[in-house]
Amino acid sequence: MIGLLEAIDRYRPECGVAFKTYAEYRIRGAILDQLARTSEVASQASARRKALQERVEAMEPDAAEPFDILRELSVGLAIGFMLEDSGMYLAEPEPASEDLAYRSLELKETKRDLLAGLSGVPDKAQKVLRLHYLNGVPFSEIAQLIGLSKGRVSQLHKEGLAALRASLSSAKEREA
C-alpha cells in the first residue's frame, strides 16, 4: 500500500512510462525495503541466539558425574559472562554505598585476573577467546578470520576455557 501511495504521488506521465509499470516497481521496492528492515532485525536477534547457543555447546563438559557437569557448566558460564563484561554483578540489588567501592575493586581485580589468566592460554585459543568475548565476534566470522573450520574454532574455544579455568584455579591455590 505504501508503494502504491508513493507511486501515485511521484508518478509523472510526461516521462512516457505507463503508470502500471511505474507502480509495479515502486510497490516491489517498498516490499523489498520492508523485508530488508525486518530481516536485518531478525538476523541480529538470530545471530545473538546462535552465539549464545554456540557458547553453551562449546562449554559442554566431559565429566559423567552430575555434580561435575553442573560445576563445569557454572564455572564456564561465569567466565563467559565476566569476559563478555555483561554486568552480571549488577543483576543483584545494589549494595549500600560502603560496599560499592569494595565491589568496584573486586570487579577490577577479577578482570585483571581473567586477563592475566588469558595470557597463559595457548595462542590460537587465546585469539578465539579474545575475539569472541572481548570483541563480540561470532564463531563463524572467527573461523573465516583465522582460516579454520567453525568446529575447530569451537574446539579451540572449549580448550581455551579449560586452560583459563586451570590457570585461575592454580592462581587461587597459590593465593591460599
Side-chain angles (χ1 to χ4, degrees):
M1 290 176 62
I2 292 171
L4 180 59
L5 292 173
E6 288 176 354
I8 292 169
D9 288 342
R10 297 179 184 169
Y11 177 68
R12 293 190 317 234
E14 64 270 6
C15 291
V17 177
F19 177 76
K20 180 184 177 206
T21 306
Y22 180 76
E24 186 178 317
Y25 282 102
R26 296 295 301 181
I27 293 168
R28 185 178 295 135
I31 290 171
L32 292 175
D33 286 346
Q34 185 60 35
L35 284 174
R37 275 188 237 117
T38 305
S39 295
E40 184 177 328
V41 171
S43 68
Q44 288 174 357
S46 174
R48 178 73 177 149
R49 282 191 306 272
K50 189 175 179 181
L52 289 173
Q53 181 63 30
E54 287 174 350
R55 289 179 192 162
V56 169
E57 287 173 3
M59 287 188 274
E60 288 181 1
D62 297 327
E65 292 290 321
F67 182 76
D68 291 338
I69 291 172
L70 182 61
R71 181 179 48 82
E72 289 290 321
L73 185 60
S74 62
V75 168
L77 287 172
I79 290 172
F81 280 123
M82 284 188 247
L83 286 174
E84 190 178 40
D85 194 23
S86 68
M88 187 169 81
Y89 62 97
L90 293 176
E92 301 171 3
E94 287 195 25
S97 60
E98 304 87 41
D99 295 333
L100 287 179
Y102 175 74
R103 287 213 178 242
S104 176
L105 176 63
E106 185 179 36
L107 182 61
K108 285 179 185 176
E109 287 177 354
T110 302
K111 286 181 180 179
R112 185 195 67 224
D113 292 344
L114 281 170
L115 290 174
L118 264 178
S119 65
V121 174
D123 290 339
K124 282 190 177 184
Q126 184 181 133
K127 191 171 189 174
V128 168
L129 291 176
R130 286 183 182 276
L131 283 170
H132 189 64
Y133 291 109
L134 301 179
N135 297 331
V137 180
F139 286 173
S140 56
E141 289 181 30
I142 294 172
Q144 290 175 347
L145 287 171
I146 300 177
L148 299 172
S149 70
K150 186 177 163 189
R152 180 63 183 140
V153 169
S154 181
Q155 288 173 346
L156 288 171
H157 176 257
K158 184 176 180 178
E159 292 169 11
L161 287 178
L164 185 58
R165 281 186 203 108
S167 175
L168 291 174
S169 294
S170 65
K172 293 248 185 229
E173 289 173 7
R174 283 180 280 183
E175 289 176 4

